[in-house]
Amino acid sequence: MHDDDYFLARAVELATRGSEAGEGGPFGAVIVRDGKIIAEGWNRVVASHDPTAHAEIGAIRAACIESGHFHLPGCTLYASSEPCPMCLSAAYWARIGRIVFANSRAEAAAIGFCDDELYSELNRHFNERSIVMEHRPLAGSLAPLEHWSGNPARIAY
C-alpha cells in the first residue's frame, strides 16, 4: 500500500468513527510530517456545538500544539474529503505544503455538504455578499495595527 493510501485510509477511518459516534459529519483528517502522523482530527461540529470544529481544523490545531509552532511546513494534510473553504484557508495559514483528499466536493455535495455557495461568496466584493458587511472606518482603529507593525519584537505570521 502506498503511504498516501495508508494515511487517507486513516482519515476515512476517523471520519467513520466520528460520524458513527454522532459527533458530526463524516469527515476525518490526518497531518503527517516525515512519514509519521503528528495529529488527527474528525468532525465534531455536533458534539462541540461549534461550526468551526471540522476535522481539518482539529488536526491543524493538534499538530500546532504537538510541533510547538503555528506553521506546519513540510507537513501533508490527508482529508477524507476535499477541504471546505474554511479548512483550506486554515491549511494555507498553517503553511501546510500538501493536501491529499479522498472524496471530492461533488461527492460531499451529493449527501448535503455543498460548499459551492461559500466558494462563490468568497469571490464577491464584501458589499455584494449574502451576509451584510459594512466598512466603517473608526478614529483610532489603526492604532493597534500601527503599534504591532512598529514592535521590533513582533512575531510575524
Side-chain angles (χ1 to χ4, degrees), residues 11-146:
V12 170
E13 180 184 328
L14 293 168
T16 301
R17 184 192 323 164
S19 63
E20 286 181 353
E23 293 192 5
F27 305 103
V30 174
I31 296 182
V32 174
R33 178 183 279 142
D34 299 326
K36 294 185 174 93
I37 294 174
I38 63 167
E40 299 179 331
W42 55 91
N43 187 289
R44 299 198 72 249
V45 168
V46 174
S48 66
H49 309 289
D50 178 357
T52 69
H54 289 200
E56 298 90 336
I57 299 294
I60 289 169
R61 288 175 178 161
C64 287
I65 290 168
E66 174 66 26
S67 68
H69 203 274
F70 47 81
H71 286 157
L72 300 169
C75 288
T76 299
L77 167 63
Y78 292 90
S80 61
S81 291
E82 185 175 352
C84 74
M86 176 183 68
C87 294
L88 181 58
S89 296
Y92 274 99
W93 283 120
R95 311 289 197 269
I96 287 174
R98 182 172 176 244
I99 298 172
V100 179
F101 60 90
N103 301 310
S104 70
R105 285 171 39 192
E107 290 165 320
I111 63 162
F113 292 96
C114 189
D115 296 330
D116 289 345
E117 184 178 320
L118 187 49
Y119 275 103
S120 178
E121 280 285 306
L122 295 174
N123 286 319
R124 294 185 175 117
H125 187 273
F126 74 83
N127 64 6
E128 296 174 350
R129 294 185 179 143
S130 62
I131 292 178
V132 176
M133 294 182 70
E134 300 174 15
H135 179 213
R136 286 182 78 77
L138 182 65
S141 65
L142 283 176
L145 300 177
E146 292 165 346

